[in-house]
Amino acid sequence: MRTIVFIAIITFGLIGCVQKQHIKTVTLKVDARDLADVKTIGVKGDFTDPRWKVEVPLTDEDKDGVFETTLTQKTAVYAIQFKVIKNGSVYELKGKPNRVLQFEYKPETIIYEVKYNDPEFIIKRN
């Protein structure tokens, strides 16, 4: 009997600990104006399925050298990690940590601007 009660308490405790998911809308902008021979810009990260295997393409509709995309996902994660990729195979920040975009525990709409291969150039607007 004690075992059943203990299992029930643990089960209900775990169910109660599940965090609520919120809609996150992220517009990612990548400044590639200083790069030569840019055919494509994309991102890979821990937010794709499967993780780090799928490249999300960015586009440069107005041909100004700034590539962008908007991603929307319902999630309870507090952060995502990613890297920008040039021409499908040239990863930025080689040998350096991934980029990290942290979230708050609420629905968010974020504009996140970076410069290819520059870990210091980050503008985040909510």
Side-chain angles (χ1 to χ4, degrees):
M1 182 66 169
R2 283 188 199 178
T3 303
I4 294 171
V5 171
F6 179 73
I7 291 172
I9 290 170
I10 295 298
T11 302
F12 287 120
L14 290 175
I15 291 171
C17 291
V18 174
Q19 290 187 342
K20 182 178 177 183
Q21 294 185 338
H22 296 285
I23 296 289
K24 307 294 182 183
T25 300
V26 177
T27 297
L28 177 62
K29 297 183 177 191
V30 177
D31 183 339
R33 289 180 279 204
D34 294 338
L35 299 177
D37 303 317
V38 176
K39 294 174 185 66
T40 64
I41 294 288
V43 292
K44 284 187 180 181
D46 62 2
F47 59 92
T48 61
D49 188 21
R51 297 165 46 112
W52 293 97
K53 301 288 184 199
V54 177
E55 181 176 338
V56 177
L58 282 72
T59 59
D60 183 12
E61 303 280 327
D62 58 5
K63 308 293 184 211
D64 66 351
V66 178
F67 291 75
E68 64 184 85
T69 192
T70 299
L71 307 168
T72 300
Q73 191 170 41
K74 189 173 186 178
T75 183
V77 300
Y78 64 91
I80 58 171
Q81 293 189 33
F82 66 95
K83 284 207 175 174
V84 180
I85 305 158
K86 174 185 160 188
N87 300 338
S89 63
V90 182
Y91 284 77
E92 67 162 353
L93 306 174
K94 192 165 185 142
K96 295 183 181 174
N98 300 326
R99 293 188 183 272
V100 178
L101 174 55
Q102 295 196 339
F103 299 122
E104 295 181 34
Y105 187 63
K106 64 180 185 178
E108 291 181 277
T109 299
I110 298 169
I111 298 172
Y112 192 77
E113 299 179 52
V114 301
K115 188 170 187 176
Y116 185 89
N117 222 27
D118 184 349
E120 303 300 318
F121 183 90
I122 298 173
I123 300 171
K124 179 182 173 186
R125 291 183 285 228
N126 290 349

